[in-house]
Structure formats: C-alpha cells, structure tokens
Amino acid sequence: MRVRTLAVVLLAGGLALTACGKEGSPGESNPAPSQEVASGVRVEGSKTFDSMTQRGKVVIGVKDDQPGLGLKDATTNKYSGFDIEIAKLIAAQLGFDESKIQYKSIPSAGREQALINGDVDYYVGTYTINAGRKEKIAFAGPYFTAGQDLLVRKDDDSITGPESLKGKKVCSVTGSTPIKKIKEGGYTEAENISEYQTYSQCVAKLAEGAIDAVTTDDAILKGYAADEPDKFKVVGKPFSVEPYGVGLAKDDKPIRDKINDILEGAITGGDWQKIYDATLGKSGSAAQKPVIERY
C-alpha cells in the first residue's frame, strides 16, 4: 500500500497547543523552505563528521512509508515529509546540499545497529528517545513530540481506546516503542499481537480485516486515515508521550552538540515552524515547539 497524503498531528494529552499550522488540503502546494548550505563547517573531534567530509556526502537513515513524515514516492523515488525536511536542514547546516544526501530506508528494528555499524551518519525517522536506546546510541533533540494512538476501520465502533483492546487483534512494528507498550501494558492477549517490519504492512492487514487495530504514534496514523478517510479512523486519545530525536553514534558528543545547536536555531529562528506548516501542519493543526534536551 502506498499513501501520499500529509498527516495531521495531535500531541499527547496535556501538552499545550501553541504554534498554529496553515489551513489547506493535503494536496495543495506549500513547499518547505529551501535551506542555505553553510560553508566552512568544522566539527572538531567528530568521527561522524570526518566520515561525511571524506566521503563527500551524508548518509541519512529514514522511514519510507510514513505519510507526512518520511515517504518515498514509488514513481519518482523522491522522499518527502517533516522528518525528511528536518534531515535536510541538518545536512545543509553541516555543509551538504541536497545533491550530496543519500537516504537509506531502515525499519525500526534495524536502527540501532545501523548507527552502531556506521551504515548511516544519523537517523531521522519517528525515533523515540528513551533510556534503553541511549545505552546503545545517542540522540539529539527532541525535534518533535507525538503520542501513541489507534487506527481502526471506519465502521468499527467497538474500539474506543486502549482499554477496549481485549480480545482484539493489534498490529505494530517490530522494535518500536508502541509494540513494547502494548505488550507490557497487557492491553490484549499476546497471541493477538502481530508485528511487521513496516506500518504500511499493518495498515494493509487492517484493510483486509486480518487485524482490528494498528497502534503507533498519532502523527503516523493520522496520515493513513487522511489518505483513505472512508476506510480508516483514529480513535481515543494519545496514551503516551513520544519525543522524536535524531539518532547518532553513541560516543560522538561533538556531532550531537552541533546538531542540537542546529535544531535549536531552527526552532527559535522560525525554520522549524515553516517546515511543520509545509508538512504535518497542512490541515491547520497545531503543535508545540519542542525544547532541546542536552546531555
């Protein structure tokens, strides 16, 4: 299944909504701002930056099946979405224009290993910051905050939130925080939980009637619902807080500090809002600007 419509975002309960997006249908043209490429960039002591410079390009890990966030067009092979624009912004501020970016699609379960192996320089793809992952890799950010929710078929009124999942078949992605939360929370029986490599596979199973609900971040699910509103809907209220970070090699503090500086500059300087308005905010939804958490 391929979806091409931009997502709508609702933050986790209790977050203040402060930054308004722009109205418009998902199909309307509202391009993200072009990024001026920095020159003479130096990141002293960063093995990651040295690798990028020697290679002459930056390799970025991304998702390719998440509308409004990270989506690869099957016809043009071009990537689009909020995460992609954030990835491009970082690359530009590190001195790499768009022609020197190589995107590498990596599913959730393979993200840590890709960073550990050096297969990618950094990863931008709905990557929730948590303590367990910090034991293996590092994060810059967060650059966005989402919340876990549920996608169901349009005609299904039996599921209204996680408390109504008992006996229901639920699908999410291997290696993701949503699948961990469903398992540990005991929301449904273990035999009713299905795992796939991508969310688009889960959505296809939902359409077939093989499962009853897909669970992941609301930012992702609302994209699928917007693409096929006659088939799907998002129900309940977000029941987690998912801060998205830029995944990095664990011991490369210089590049982490540099990317935190880039993200903070985009948030305070207006580029973050422009990117949001051009992608996730196209429906007129609002999002709170994130606060960088340095460590």
Side-chain angles (χ1 to χ4, degrees), residues 208-259:
E208 294 169 6
I211 62 166
D212 302 305
V214 179
T215 186
T216 187
D217 304 340
D218 53 358
I220 300 169
L221 297 179
K222 288 179 181 296
Y224 290 115
D227 186 67
E228 297 186 276
D230 294 334
K231 287 186 178 181
F232 307 121
K233 63 183 178 181
V234 178
V235 298
K237 295 180 180 179
F239 52 102
S240 72
V241 177
E242 309 295 336
Y244 292 167
V246 177
L248 298 160
K250 187 177 183 351
D251 298 323
D252 199 330
K253 188 176 185 298
I255 196 69
R256 186 172 83 237
D257 290 343
K258 178 66 174 178
I259 292 177

Side-chain angles (χ1 to χ4, degrees), residues 107-130:
S108 295
R111 292 179 294 198
E112 279 90 43
Q113 201 59 49
L115 288 164
I116 292 168
N117 293 347
D119 297 334
V120 297
D121 297 311
Y122 57 90
Y123 192 102
V124 188
T126 59
Y127 204 177
T128 297
I129 301 170
N130 63 40

Side-chain angles (χ1 to χ4, degrees), residues 15-58:
L15 291 176
L17 300 182
T18 58
C20 294
K22 296 180 180 179
E23 294 184 356
S25 67
E28 288 181 359
S29 176
N30 184 21
S34 58
Q35 300 297 333
E36 182 177 348
V37 179
S39 60
V41 181
R42 296 174 66 87
V43 187
E44 297 291 346
S46 170
K47 293 181 180 179
T48 303
F49 185 76
D50 289 347
S51 294
M52 295 180 198
T53 304
Q54 293 167 9
R55 179 189 316 123
K57 66 179 179 181
V58 54

Side-chain angles (χ1 to χ4, degrees), residues 144-183:
F144 190 75
T145 304
Q148 187 171 348
D149 217 324
L150 300 166
L151 182 76
V152 302
R153 286 182 292 277
K154 185 77 172 183
D155 59 357
D156 187 349
D157 295 325
S158 66
I159 299 175
T160 56
E163 68 285 345
S164 57
L165 287 177
K166 284 291 184 183
K168 302 292 186 179
K169 295 180 180 178
V170 183
C171 184
S172 196
V173 165
T174 301
S176 65
T177 51
I179 196 71
K180 183 179 180 181
K181 190 173 186 69
I182 288 294
K183 286 180 176 179

